Amino acid sequence: MSARALPLTFLLACAGAACDGPVDTDLTDAAATDARAPVRDGRVAPPPSDAAFPPDAPDPRWSGALLDPVVDQAVAEEETLSIVIHADPSARVFVDDAPPGSRWDEAARTLTFTPDFIQGARAYPVSVTAISRDERATESFTIDVEDTIHPRDPEILRVTDGWQATHIRVVQTTDDYLDPPGLAGRELEAVITVPEAASADSLMPMRITLHAAGGAPTAVGGPDRFGLAPHNPEGNWWGGRAEVLPDEPTTGRVLDYSQRRVLHLLDWVTRNYPGVDQNAIMLEGQSKGGVGVLWMAARHGRHFSRVYARLAMAAARLMRGGMDDAFEGHMGPHEMSLLTERGLPAWDDYDLMRALRDDPEAASLHYLVYNAKNDRLTTFHHWIQPSPHTGETGVEAMQRHRVGHEVGWDQRDHSDGTPFWDMSRSSRDVRRDRAFPAFSRSSADDDAGAVEADGSFSGDDYGVLNRYFEWTSEEIVDTRAALSIPMRADYVEVAPPTDGRPPRDDGYAGATPIVADVTVRRAARFVCLPGERVRWRWVPAAGDPSEGEVDADEAGLVTVPQLPFTPEGGTLHLERSEVRPWDA
């Protein structure tokens, strides 16, 4: 077993249910009684049998100090660890540098973590800070993840020199963790691109590209970024497959073998090439690959910073045109509802709308999405027809759950030429370890429409959501006491076109200024409790400032409504209404 490098620091994004962790509502209650999910006292090990205590009574194991010391912890891959932190009941308690995918529930003073199979052989140093009205205390401990699941490493087939980068073709031999046991032993190739200038002292981002149907892995990346192109020859659109295959999928579970293979390759690259910036890994794909990146985001969002999906479908149960029949050969018939490894019906687990509603890991990503209204393969109804599971459309889910997104559509078909909207032009700097603004209810949004009774689409023929906003992550200041985000509108005012279509690129013919709600995503230190009161102040570069107060929502997210945006921009300042000795 080869040693695995420690990952870059990952900062928790929110309090309670808003943290970046696998907290699907259908799984949370089950985890509390699962024998694999011990609730551990942070001061002792092994865990006592009476770990729970009445919610309105002081914890009898609390020493009376502002914050008790926390002992080091250990957990195996795909097992669940829950650690109770003991502190003064009146104090605020914050957790920093917790592992990707963990959840800190400040109200319950419990940190929960279920490492996946590529988080083993790593030690995560965690810091806990308690702050009362006149003092604060900090304790540190380490979570060691045991490497209990380790598929065979890929083997290098050949190395090719490129321009300031090296292209490495590898073969991935599957076992019964990366493939159904009856299909294990397959050899699948992948291509990895390594920039020559990348090193542990000079980190570079990574792009993972999932190919379309009938495609094969080709080199992506280059001198300024790592690239990873895996292979998926089966027609499951990078989704789940029944573990009984090649037998008829009418029994057993549906497991994410295709996604495991992608993660396995990602793990191999990060272990062997320390120059990967693990906080800047983007998923991209088109058609089958676009579906794959959305479903990767829906189930493994902890490893990625953003998603770019082109001509993609959002939910398995919305498949039609014969695709749903073909997909039953991988996940079993609709009506059988075979379960995934997460205990959910497979046809509902592979649903982006469900993930945005239930999983903070998925909701904390930033999404670039492009589709075409004349596409007869991955049709636009996936974004404007409600999911049978959640009752929300893809557009509604992104807006209502205040997810970072930019969505565009036009009148192309599935195989037409250049899209009307160039979504890739976005220079949004979105990282896994930094806060970013998520926009919703923008006055510049076009009408995505709905599916009419005859199957046609209403709404605008060409349109975008959240097209005209810009920010820079390095300029965001995120402290315990306050958070500030400089932002601006990114458009060029033009006359309306005469052909009825909207302006291309950043041309904008609508009313100004553009107003929109702003939600803070992935805050690392300015973490709020549900209902916490926050003061806000908007200071434009030109014009009068405005201010007010808002309450954090049930997930601890802070949203400031209807700020005005111009190309000159401004800065949004947030402060806690409560006065405490907050540290910087």
Side-chain angles (χ1 to χ4, degrees):
M1 178 179 65
S2 59
R4 297 183 177 180
L6 288 175
L8 298 175
T9 299
F10 178 79
L11 301 177
L12 282 178
C14 44
C19 284
D20 286 336
V23 290
D24 188 291
T25 53
D26 293 317
L27 298 180
T28 305
D29 292 339
T33 57
D34 193 330
R36 299 179 307 156
V39 178
R40 299 189 180 180
D41 188 313
R43 297 176 296 124
V44 296
S49 59
D50 60 343
F53 53 90
D56 297 328
D59 181 355
R61 295 162 298 171
W62 172 49
S63 71
L66 179 60
L67 176 64
D68 284 355
V70 186
V71 299
D72 292 342
Q73 305 286 330
V75 63
E77 292 170 325
E78 297 189 355
E79 301 291 323
T80 298
L81 172 69
S82 295
I83 309 167
V84 177
I85 304 298
H86 303 282
D88 189 314
S90 66
R92 290 293 306 272
V93 181
F94 299 92
V95 172
D96 296 312
D97 305 331
S102 58
R103 177 197 180 197
W104 168 238
D105 185 340
E106 185 179 354
R109 301 283 172 84
T110 302
L111 177 68
T112 306
F113 178 42
T114 305
D116 65 22
F117 81 102
I118 71 168
Q119 292 181 290
R122 287 173 166 89
Y124 295 92
V126 182
S127 175
V128 182
T129 300
I131 303 176
S132 70
R133 293 200 174 276
D134 53 7
E135 63 177 326
R136 65 186 177 95
T138 299
E139 296 287 343
S140 299
F141 67 99
T142 299
I143 298 177
D144 284 303
V145 181
E146 302 169 13
D147 186 14
T148 53
I149 303 171
H150 33 78
R152 176 180 173 181
D153 279 350
E155 297 180 5
I156 296 176
L157 294 178
R158 63 178 177 273
V159 177
T160 305
D161 290 334
W163 183 63
Q164 298 182 16
T166 302
H167 305 297
I168 304 169
R169 183 168 288 272
V170 301
V171 61
Q172 186 179 35
T173 303
T174 66
D175 60 8
D176 60 7
Y177 188 79
L178 301 180
D179 243 345
L183 299 174
R186 291 191 300 160
E187 295 185 349
L188 303 174
E189 295 187 9
V191 179
I192 296 156
T193 299
V194 180
E196 292 178 0
S199 69
D201 297 322
S202 180
L203 300 178
M204 292 190 178
M206 172 184 280
R207 176 178 294 158
I208 300 176
T209 300
L210 305 187
H211 64 73
T218 58
V220 297
D224 61 347
R225 69 177 60 242
F226 284 82
L228 171 57
H231 191 202
N232 178 6
E234 52 261 23
N236 69 333
W237 296 71
W238 300 89
R241 303 194 80 195
E243 61 185 344
V244 300
L245 291 174
D247 295 336
E248 186 177 357
T250 55
T251 61
R253 298 175 299 167
V254 174
L255 306 182
D256 60 348
Y257 297 111
S258 301
Q259 299 182 5
R260 289 175 181 179
R261 294 198 298 268
V262 177
L263 294 176
H264 181 45
L265 290 167
L266 171 61
D267 182 44
W268 185 83
V269 175
T270 56
R271 282 190 284 124
N272 288 277
Y273 301 95
V276 178
D277 185 344
Q278 296 184 53
N279 288 310
I281 298 176
M282 183 179 83
L283 284 167
E284 71 164 4
Q286 178 168 313
S287 186
K288 169 183 170 179
V291 178
V293 301
L294 291 177
W295 287 349
M296 285 285 292
R299 299 165 56 81
H300 301 285
R302 69 182 64 179
H303 296 295
F304 311 110
S305 58
R306 68 183 316 181
V307 171
Y308 182 19
R310 302 182 299 277
L311 304 175
M313 299 181 290
R317 287 201 187 274
L318 288 177
M319 285 182 168
R320 61 188 188 189
M323 253 186 291
D324 50 346
D325 295 334
F327 214 63
E328 288 188 338
H330 299 280
M331 298 207 307
H334 282 262
E335 64 275 9
M336 294 201 66
S337 293
L338 299 182
L339 301 182
T340 67
E341 62 277 279
R342 305 183 340 151
L344 294 174
W347 287 84
D348 296 326
D349 203 350
Y350 287 90
D351 185 324
L352 181 66
M353 289 75 101
R354 178 209 57 77
L356 297 181
R357 182 195 66 185
D358 297 342
D359 287 348
E361 283 191 60
S364 70
L365 293 169
H366 188 274
Y367 294 80
L368 295 173
V369 176
Y370 160 74
N371 273 69
K373 282 197 168 182
N374 283 323
D375 189 337
R376 295 294 179 263
L377 183 59
T378 54
T379 65
F380 192 64
H381 82 280
H382 272 262
W383 299 98
I384 57 175
Q385 180 173 321
S387 157
H389 180 63
T390 68
E392 286 185 314
T393 71
V395 168
E396 288 172 345
M398 289 185 170
Q399 291 275 322
R400 192 170 79 82
H401 301 298
R402 302 186 178 101
V403 175
H405 65 286
E406 183 177 334
V407 177
W409 64 91
D410 59 23
Q411 288 291 296
R412 296 173 65 238
D413 199 341
H414 193 77
S415 58
D416 284 349
T418 303
F420 185 85
W421 301 104
D422 179 12
M423 309 301 290
S424 65
R425 75 89 174 103
S426 174
S427 59
R428 310 288 186 269
D429 179 18
V430 182
R431 295 178 54 83
R432 191 178 64 167
D433 60 343
R434 293 178 188 164
F436 72 89
F439 301 93
S440 54
R441 296 201 305 146
S442 168
S443 62
D445 283 350
D446 295 299
D447 180 11
V451 180
E452 300 298 313
D454 62 359
S456 63
F457 302 143
S458 63
D460 295 326
D461 290 341
Y462 300 79
V464 284
L465 307 178
N466 291 333
R467 176 70 174 181
Y468 306 107
F469 302 106
E470 194 69 58
W471 71 92
T472 302
S473 289
E474 286 80 0
E475 297 177 352
I476 298 175
V477 178
D478 182 3
T479 72
R480 292 265 192 259
L483 184 143
S484 64
I485 307 178
M487 297 171 285
R488 69 181 184 91
D490 181 23
Y491 62 80
V492 178
E493 293 192 45
V494 297
T498 59
D499 60 4
R501 293 183 296 179
R504 283 183 178 271
D505 299 323
D506 294 328
Y508 178 63
T512 59
I514 296 173
V515 298
D517 295 353
V518 177
T519 300
V520 178
R521 282 283 180 183
R522 287 189 185 143
R525 296 177 69 80
F526 192 77
V527 178
C528 295
L529 283 168
E532 184 173 351
R533 197 72 171 162
V534 174
R535 294 190 297 267
W536 64 267
R537 182 175 174 83
W538 172 247
V539 182
D544 296 329
S546 55
E547 60 185 17
E549 290 191 342
V550 293
D551 293 332
D553 68 10
E554 67 279 0
L557 296 174
V558 176
T559 299
V560 179
Q562 297 297 279
L563 292 179
F565 289 89
T566 65
E568 293 76 24
T571 301
L572 175 62
H573 300 276
L574 303 177
E575 294 181 345
R576 300 183 191 276
S577 295
E578 185 180 16
V579 178
R580 287 184 185 232
W582 305 106
D583 65 327

